[in-house]
Amino acid sequence: MHALLQLPIIGLGVEEFVLLFIAALAGGAFGAALGALPAFVFTGFAIFLGEGLNILQGELASNVGSLGAGSLGVDLTGTIGFGMVFGPHISFAAGVAASAYVGKKYPEMEPDGWDYHPGKVITEAYGTKPDILAVGAVFGVVGMLINQLASGIGLPTDGIALSVVLTALLARLVFGYPLVGSPSGSSLFDMSPFEREEQRAVADGGTDSMRLATEPWLGHQYKWSGVAFIGVVGGILSGYIWIETGSIFLGYAFSAMSLLFLNLGVAKIPVTHHITLLGAVGAIVATEMIGGPIPAILGAALFGGLTGVIGEATQRIFYSHSGTHVDPPAMAIAVAMTIVGVLYLVGIIPTSGYLGL
């Protein structure tokens, strides 16, 4: 066993693997207890604090003298925000899986006024019900394993985002939902049944209920023009943040924290963390290729806009026609960073952003 866990595909010693395994169990259960979206808001706050400390440490090092890694504390961004506590592949993915489970086992827990399938509720906390927390714990471990394997294999993409997507699709299979679902309109991309408020009968917990026939991820953020526009805007702002601070993830953190207001009921808050993350990457790529702040901003705008459109395309395929949440931002990040990684590996662009290839 010790030799197996030392293989490059895992890249961990036995003790470290067991530690991550136990922490992922707890992180997944805690994510299910909080609910997927509330847990992700905490991801934003953890990364915001971690990036703030990183920026402060960098400024002190440049103005006062050399500081070793961790001089101001641990790497909160990596160990907490993207780690076993609030890493999206742990806590958010666990919350999504718990929602899929609750949609089948406890449809009566659906919040009042919810028009979508009950398996898509990601705003609600599930408290301390042991079976729900156990589902979260299991999927927290699965999320950790997928990310570790993606890293060990050296996949040219964001392993955390990929893990969020794969665990959500796995939850559909495990709990008996269609993997993609059947469109009610002319194609997977047709959102017009939602605009006409068409309904269809679906089985919720063994009973037939009337639900919206097509369920776009965000009723206020699905039209191509608006998605592209907010993508350009978010990309520019995140690119500017990177130019001024050197932080790839600070814009992402602001976007994640803003979802607190969406969770509290501010209905038209845009979801932009995929946009701001790739906006920073676009700024880096443009700087490496051309140099200068204006190309960086333009690169950020391009990457942000394209990622917004990718997110919308993926939600129309994988979210709108089945009964659980498959995260469009995670799908957009996974697709966009795969493109970045492949373009870097074939020598078309000079950097892979934060992938470290």
Side-chain angles (χ1 to χ4, degrees):
M1 180 179 178
H2 188 277
L4 174 64
L5 294 178
Q6 291 296 331
L7 290 174
I9 194 170
I10 300 294
L12 298 172
V14 173
E15 186 174 18
E16 185 181 3
F17 177 79
V18 171
L19 177 63
L20 292 184
F21 185 93
I22 295 172
L25 280 172
F30 194 53
L34 290 177
L37 187 57
F40 184 66
V41 171
F42 277 102
T43 302
F45 280 103
I47 294 171
F48 174 75
L49 179 57
E51 292 303 284
L53 288 175
N54 290 340
I55 293 166
L56 175 60
Q57 180 161 305
E59 289 297 312
L60 289 175
S62 62
N63 290 285
V64 177
S66 177
L67 291 172
S71 296
L72 296 178
V74 298
D75 175 18
L76 290 178
T77 296
T79 60
I80 307 299
F82 288 130
M84 299 303 103
V85 183
F86 290 120
H89 59 309
I90 306 294
S91 60
F92 180 82
V96 166
S99 295
Y101 172 74
V102 168
K104 290 287 188 178
K105 184 72 179 291
Y106 304 110
E108 70 275 7
M109 295 178 67
E110 176 185 335
D112 294 337
W114 186 257
D115 293 327
Y116 284 17
H117 289 66
K120 287 181 174 176
V121 178
I122 64 168
T123 56
E124 300 294 303
Y126 290 124
T128 59
K129 200 166 182 58
D131 57 332
I132 299 176
L133 301 193
V135 169
V138 170
F139 274 84
V141 169
V142 173
M144 180 272 290
L145 290 173
I146 292 173
N147 184 49
Q148 289 294 330
L149 287 170
S151 176
I153 294 170
L155 291 180
T157 191
D158 185 310
I160 289 176
L162 179 65
S163 179
V164 171
V165 175
L166 293 181
T167 53
L169 294 175
L170 177 62
R172 282 189 174 175
L173 295 175
V174 169
F175 298 121
Y177 295 88
L179 193 60
V180 175
S182 301
S184 294
S186 61
S187 70
L188 291 172
F189 281 80
D190 183 6
M191 296 291 105
S192 63
F194 169 77
E195 295 169 344
R196 295 190 297 266
E197 299 183 354
E198 293 179 7
Q199 295 189 332
R200 64 179 170 183
V202 297
D204 294 345
T207 63
D208 286 338
S209 301
M210 296 303 295
R211 301 284 178 183
L212 288 170
T214 301
E215 302 169 346
W217 166 49
L218 296 167
H220 62 279
Q221 186 179 324
Y222 74 93
K223 295 187 176 180
W224 295 110
S225 58
V227 168
F229 199 100
I230 196 64
V232 169
V233 169
I236 288 172
L237 292 177
S238 188
Y240 179 76
I241 290 170
W242 175 78
I243 291 169
E244 295 297 326
T245 68
S247 171
I248 299 174
F249 300 114
L250 189 56
Y252 176 96
F254 282 124
S255 292
M257 290 189 295
S258 75
L259 299 183
L260 172 63
F261 298 99
L262 184 66
N263 208 105
L264 293 174
V266 183
K268 294 187 178 181
I269 292 289
V271 180
T272 59
H273 53 282
H274 54 312
I275 290 165
T276 48
L277 180 59
L278 269 293
V281 172
I284 294 169
V285 170
T287 298
E288 290 286 332
M289 293 182 70
I290 304 172
I294 301 304
I297 284 291
L298 294 177
L302 176 62
F303 275 53
L306 289 175
T307 303
V309 170
I310 292 171
E312 178 55 30
T314 58
Q315 82 85 10
R316 293 185 182 218
I317 298 171
F318 291 105
Y319 180 96
S320 293
H321 313 290
S322 190
T324 68
H325 184 95
V326 178
D327 196 54
M331 290 188 282
I333 292 168
V335 170
M337 289 309 297
T338 298
I339 295 171
V340 170
V342 171
L343 290 178
Y344 169 73
L345 290 176
V346 299
I348 295 176
I349 60 175
T351 177
S352 62
Y354 59 86
L355 295 181
L357 298 177

